[in-house]
Amino acid sequence: MKARKLLALGLTAIIGATMMAGCGGGGGSTTSQSSDGSSASGTYAFVAKDVQNPYMQKVYDGFEKACKEIGAEPLYKGPEAATPEKQIEIINQLVAQNVAGIAIAANDADALQPALTEAMDAGIKVISLDSAVNKDSRQTHIQQADPEKIGRGLIQAAYEMVDGNGGIAVLSATAQATNQNLWIEWMKKELEENPEKYANTPLIKVAYGDDDPTKSTSETQALLTDSSIKVIIAPTTVGMLAAGKVLQDKQSDVKLTGLGLPSEMAPFIEDGTCPWMYLWNPVDIGYLSGYTMDALVKGTITGDVGGSFNAGDLGEKKITEAADGGTEVMLGDPFKFDTENIAEWKEVY
Ligand code: RAM
C-alpha cells in the first residue's frame, strides 16, 4: 500500500511518462473473500527460481497477499540453487499433489516443457512470471516491464555514467535465465543499432553469477582485472548487491547500474557506487500472478489474447500478445531509483 501511496506522490518513472498506468491505478476488487481462511479455489503453488533469493521472497509476498484476498491456499516452493532440474522435480510433485495452479519463475525456457505439459494435461493452470517458459509450456506469462525498454535503458544509463567513454560489462544471473537473456539481447541491439554513439563504450564481457552471492562476487572481482571495463550492468538483484559490495570494498571508480532492490542498494546509491538503477515493484508481480491464476482457475480468462480480468488493487488487467508468440500480462514501466528518491523507497521493498 505504501508503494502505491509513494507512486501517487509522483516519483519519477525512467522511461516514458506512463508509470502510473500499470501500478494500482484501478478500482477496487470485487472478488470474494474467504472469511474462514479455507481454500475455496484450491492450492496455488508458486515456484521460485531459487529460495535463497530475497527478490523471489518479495514476489511471493505479493502472491500470498492475492491468494488471501481470493480465498486460495498459497504454497511456496523452489530449489536451493537456480537450476531447471530441481524445478522439474518440484513440478512433478505438485502434479501428484493435484494443485489447482502453478506459477513459476523459470530457470530455463524449454527444459520445463514436458513437466508443465503434464501439469496442463492434468487440468492444472500454468503461468510463468519474472522469467518465462516457452509459449507452449504456459497459459500466459506475467511480464514485469517491456524487455526492450529495460535492455536499451540499461545501456543508455551505462553510457551516461562513463560520459560515453569506457567499456561495459554485464554481470548476469544464470546463462539460461530467460528474462536476463532477453534483456541482454536488447542491450546488444541498442549498441549495434547506434554504432557511432557507442563507439567508445563497447560491451567487453557478459559474466554469469548464477544469482549466487559467492559466484557473483568472484565474477565481479574477475571483471575488475580488465582495466578497460568502466561500468558494470547487473540485470539481477543478486548480482547488483554482490557487485556493489566488491566495488565499495575496493573503492573502485567503476560504476554500477542495473536492476536492484532499493532496500539492498540504498548504501551504494547514497555513496555514488551506483548512481542510479531501475526496478519494478516485485510485490506487485506476485500479486498480479495470484489474480491471473485465479482468473484462469475460475475460467474468467483462458490465457488467450483479449481476455481481461480484475486484479484486485491493480484494477483491470488485459492479456496481450507476447514477443515469443504466446501471451502475457504486463505490469508496467520500471522505476528509476537515485539519490533523490532512494531514502523513501528503501523502506518499501
Ligand atoms: C533477480 C532474479 C530475477 C530478476 C531480478 C531483477 O533477483 O534474477 O529473476 O527479475 O533479479
Side-chain angles (χ1 to χ4, degrees):
M1 275 303 112
K2 191 172 175 204
R4 286 186 196 101
K5 221 165 95 198
L6 285 169
L7 284 177
L9 291 174
L11 291 170
T12 337
I14 33 164
I15 307 155
T18 54
M19 180 180 78
M20 296 300 287
C23 285
S29 165
T30 53
T31 48
S32 60
Q33 303 276 325
S34 83
S35 50
D36 61 356
S38 69
S39 57
S41 309
T43 299
Y44 296 175
F46 178 101
V47 185
K49 270 182 162 179
D50 70 79
V51 289
Q52 307 293 342
N53 185 341
Y55 174 88
M56 285 283 135
Q57 180 61 54
K58 289 185 194 297
V59 178
Y60 179 69
D61 289 347
F63 187 80
E64 194 178 33
K65 177 172 184 261
C67 286
K68 282 198 181 128
E69 290 176 9
I70 291 157
E73 188 68 44
L75 180 64
Y76 189 49
K77 292 275 177 189
E80 292 295 314
T83 68
E85 292 78 17
K86 290 281 175 210
Q87 286 192 319
I88 293 169
E89 279 175 31
I90 291 169
I91 295 163
N92 292 341
Q93 286 160 11
L94 294 171
V95 173
Q97 206 177 317
N98 198 24
V99 297
I102 299 174
I104 186 161
N107 287 322
D108 192 294
D110 302 317
L112 309 178
Q113 186 164 349
L116 292 175
T117 304
E118 204 176 303
M120 289 189 286
D121 287 349
I124 296 170
K125 303 300 177 198
V126 173
I127 61 174
S128 51
L129 61 123
D130 181 58
S131 183
V133 287
N134 68 33
K135 67 179 174 56
D136 299 320
S137 306
R138 65 179 201 239
Q139 254 109 18
T140 194
H141 174 67
I142 311 304
Q143 185 68 272
Q144 44 272 59
D146 183 348
E148 176 173 356
K149 286 184 184 171
I150 297 169
R152 289 190 191 273
L154 288 175
I155 287 292
Q156 288 156 6
Y159 173 90
E160 275 184 57
M161 284 177 194
V162 296
D163 289 328
N165 208 338
I168 301 173
V170 173
L171 174 67
S172 191
T174 64
Q176 291 81 30
T178 326
N179 52 343
Q180 271 86 19
N181 284 350
L182 192 56
W183 299 329
I184 293 169
E185 258 177 54
W186 281 110
M187 290 181 205
K188 289 181 176 166
K189 251 188 213 152
E190 172 69 13
L191 291 169
E192 280 158 21
E193 287 173 7
N194 304 284
E196 274 169 37
K197 173 174 177 184
Y198 297 114
N200 297 318
T201 52
L203 176 59
I204 311 276
K205 189 170 164 79
V206 179
Y208 297 94
D210 294 350
D211 273 353
D212 172 69
T214 309
K215 180 149 192 263
S216 303
T217 302
S218 57
E219 290 293 332
T220 307
Q221 285 159 344
L223 290 175
L224 294 184
T225 61
D226 183 336
S227 61
S228 66
I229 294 172
K230 302 290 185 214
V231 55
I232 296 174
I233 299 173
T236 143
T237 56
V238 180
M240 279 292 271
L241 181 59
K245 284 182 183 161
V246 172
L247 294 175
Q248 200 178 55
D249 280 356
K250 290 196 183 304
Q251 297 187 310
S252 170
D253 290 335
V254 170
K255 293 293 171 206
L256 174 66
T257 190
L259 306 171
L261 282 169
S263 54
E264 292 181 339
M265 294 304 294
F268 309 100
I269 291 190
E270 281 153 7
D271 80 354
T273 305
C274 171
W276 69 91
M277 64 171 196
Y278 306 100
L279 199 69
W280 39 86
N281 185 332
V283 182
D284 279 353
I285 285 289
Y287 185 81
L288 178 55
S289 303
Y291 270 92
T292 308
M293 179 61 78
D294 194 53
L296 282 166
V297 169
K298 304 250 167 79
T300 317
I301 53 169
T302 58
D304 291 348
V305 173
S308 69
F309 60 99
N310 186 292
D313 293 344
L314 295 170
E316 199 71 9
K317 296 301 278 186
K318 272 207 267 324
I319 313 255
T320 53
E321 202 179 327
D324 66 3
T327 69
E328 67 187 17
V329 183
M330 183 73 81
L331 181 65
D333 278 333
F335 318 132
K336 179 180 183 178
F337 300 103
D338 57 18
T339 50
E340 296 287 303
N341 62 15
I342 195 65
E344 286 162 287
W345 282 96
K346 70 180 178 188
E347 309 294 340
V348 186
Y349 52 82

